[in-house]
Amino acid sequence: MTETIPDAAPDLDFDLKGLPKVSLHDHLDGGLRPATIIELAEAVGHTLPSTDPVALGEWFRESADSGSLVRYLETFDHTIAVMQTKEGLFRVAKEFVEDLADDGVVYGEVRWAPEQHLQQGLSLDDVVEAVQAGLEAGVDAVAETGRDIQVGQLITAMRHADRGQEIAELAVRHRNNGAVGFDIAGAEDGFLPSRFKDAFTYLAQHNFPATVHAGEAAGLESIQSALVDGRALRLGHGVRIAEDVTIEFEEDEDAADAEGFDDTVNDTIGMVTLGELASWVRDRGIALEICPSSNLQTGAIAGFGEGIESHPLDMLYQLGFNVTINTDNRLMSGVTLTDEFELLVETFDYDLDDLLELTLNAAEAAFLPLEEKEALVEYINEAYADLG
Ligand SMILES: [Zn+2]
């Protein structure tokens, strides 16, 4: 599927990597360095498909790209296997932050499911504390290089499991120790957010924010449940909200006549109709955490066409939806946020103003207090202004 992603560098007169970025949707167990996986696997006696960092990195990308869900899910068996000790969790979290900073990220929310890291006897609180210690060490390491980054944890429950309430309580318990939000992840189809209705009610009662994976592997029903049962303030992907948007093209005869030629491409008028759900998501500014390359790999956008150019993110963005750009799983997709921006510049001809708007959307949708969001927005605006 990657052959549809152009790899020629765009002709830009600015440094995409240096632009300040905000990352809202990036999984901790999907962003490890291959060399780290190899070292940690050796320490815990876990067997990998390869012990060569380059070959292992390729194995992850090929498996994610194979079109086989079984192979895709197998990749997480290996990353999760090396994240079962405090040492493993600490190191992965620390390097995660350093890698984000190297990509220009100044604010990042890191999501992961504590319940998947208890195989060696650690408790839920142990693993959250180990990851938090690693994230803080990463922030300190970045500061030593003269840069700044701020990160928060999105505590995630797995939808096929039944620990939603426990994980919601865990998240609230750690709200003053790095947890900034809650999410549910894993198999979306067949596991509606309504399964976790009580956990989401508990979170709402504690005024703790939730983003919900919805509109990726399932459609409008899942998005509706995320918003109603999950009280989602943001949608993880949410890309299939585009199924509730109808655009009818009609040839504009007058325009064709007036210009003296008949060009059905240039002289069409699109009649846009939003369903009630799409209207709610757009008009209320519910942020969509779009992950372009991942959406292509997992088939989330298969209903809209084949390549990245048929990704509905551009249509949603042009219609005023609150679109943010993210990576999802940097290891499996072999991408950085810089790569995703580059892809949008190449595919949709986005310029600096577009990238600024998408970045500000993410900053404003961050699970941060207002004062901190305002400071983040100001920092981003100033950095972009310096370019112009
Ligand atoms: Zn995700």
Side-chain angles (χ1 to χ4, degrees):
M1 286 180 245
T2 41
E3 67 269 18
T4 51
I5 300 173
D7 43 27
D11 187 19
L12 298 173
D13 54 3
F14 52 90
D15 169 28
L16 270 179
K17 200 170 181 174
L19 294 174
K21 300 177 190 71
V22 173
S23 168
L24 299 181
H25 193 127
D26 198 348
H27 292 262
L28 185 65
D29 52 335
L32 291 76
R33 298 175 186 170
T36 298
I37 300 172
I38 292 164
E39 281 180 37
L40 292 175
E42 202 176 300
V44 297
H46 176 77
T47 306
L48 293 168
S50 170
T51 51
D52 172 72
V54 175
L56 184 63
E58 268 168 32
W59 179 85
F60 275 103
R61 289 191 295 278
E62 279 169 16
S63 301
D65 228 9
S66 66
S68 155
L69 187 62
V70 175
R71 272 192 74 188
Y72 189 88
L73 294 178
E74 189 192 335
T75 61
F76 289 94
D77 291 345
H78 293 293
T79 58
I80 288 169
V82 303
M83 296 167 69
Q84 299 296 334
T85 62
K86 287 186 183 178
E87 297 73 25
L89 288 163
F90 178 93
R91 177 167 172 187
V92 168
K94 177 174 183 275
E95 292 178 354
F96 196 96
V97 176
E98 293 178 295
D99 292 349
L100 288 185
D102 286 344
D103 194 24
V105 173
V106 292
Y107 176 77
E109 290 178 5
V110 183
R111 68 184 70 202
W112 67 295
E115 67 197 83
Q116 294 191 295
H117 302 271
L118 311 178
Q119 294 167 13
Q120 300 291 326
L122 295 176
S123 70
L124 288 171
D125 291 282
D126 287 340
V127 295
V128 172
E129 282 164 18
V131 165
Q132 185 59 24
L135 295 177
E136 288 173 14
V139 170
D140 290 345
V142 169
E144 276 172 29
T145 66
R147 296 166 299 165
D148 280 319
I149 185 168
Q150 189 178 355
V151 290
Q153 295 191 43
L154 294 177
I155 302 291
T156 301
M158 298 306 292
R159 345 171 58 115
H160 61 270
D162 207 14
R163 304 182 75 156
Q165 180 65 29
E166 207 181 344
I167 303 303
E169 289 173 16
L170 176 73
V172 170
R173 200 153 65 237
H174 288 267
R175 71 189 313 169
N176 295 317
N177 185 35
V180 299
F182 179 84
D183 176 32
I184 56 172
E188 181 187 357
D189 208 9
F191 296 92
L192 286 175
S194 53
R195 276 171 50 88
F196 295 92
K197 197 175 175 138
D198 292 344
F200 285 119
T201 298
Y202 170 87
L203 292 163
Q205 284 167 342
H206 287 79
N207 308 111
F208 195 81
T211 174
V212 176
H213 274 83
E216 181 191 20
L220 300 178
E221 187 192 9
S222 179
I223 294 174
Q224 172 78 356
S225 181
L227 295 167
V228 175
D229 303 305
R231 298 169 171 84
L233 299 176
R234 306 194 315 232
L235 293 169
H237 305 289
V239 58
R240 287 178 61 179
I241 193 64
E243 292 172 9
D244 203 31
V245 178
T246 314
I247 303 183
E248 283 174 54
F249 289 100
E250 284 173 26
E251 193 180 336
D252 183 348
E253 308 253 335
D254 293 340
D257 292 346
E259 291 174 31
F261 61 88
D262 185 9
D263 181 340
T264 52
V265 176
N266 290 332
D267 301 323
T268 52
I269 294 176
M271 293 291 291
V272 180
T273 313
L274 268 61
E276 287 179 2
L277 186 61
S279 295
W280 174 263
V281 170
R282 186 189 68 170
D283 300 346
R284 304 279 74 79
I286 307 286
L288 304 175
E289 301 162 358
I290 302 282
C291 308
S293 295
S294 169
N295 292 159
L296 189 62
Q297 281 182 310
T298 62
I301 55 165
F304 303 98
E306 293 232 319
I308 195 70
E309 62 282 355
S310 50
H311 198 302
L313 78 89
D314 183 50
M315 181 265 285
L316 294 168
Y317 172 59
Q318 304 299 343
L319 290 177
F321 282 81
N322 191 4
V323 172
T324 72
I325 302 302
N326 303 275
T327 51
D328 209 12
N329 298 293
R330 285 179 284 114
L331 171 65
M332 287 74 178
S333 293
V335 296
T336 61
L337 201 43
T338 298
D339 293 333
E340 295 297 82
F341 274 8
E342 193 172 315
L343 185 63
L344 300 186
V345 170
E346 288 169 349
T347 309
F348 301 115
D349 218 12
Y350 285 180
D351 61 17
L352 213 47
D353 288 342
D354 295 310
L355 301 184
L356 173 60
E357 186 169 341
L358 293 164
T359 302
L360 292 178
N361 284 350
E364 281 158 10
F367 288 156
L368 279 173
L370 182 65
E371 302 78 19
E372 292 179 41
K373 273 199 275 193
E374 285 175 348
L376 185 58
V377 164
E378 192 181 323
Y379 178 84
I380 293 163
N381 272 323
E382 281 174 8
Y384 269 78
D386 286 347
L387 291 169

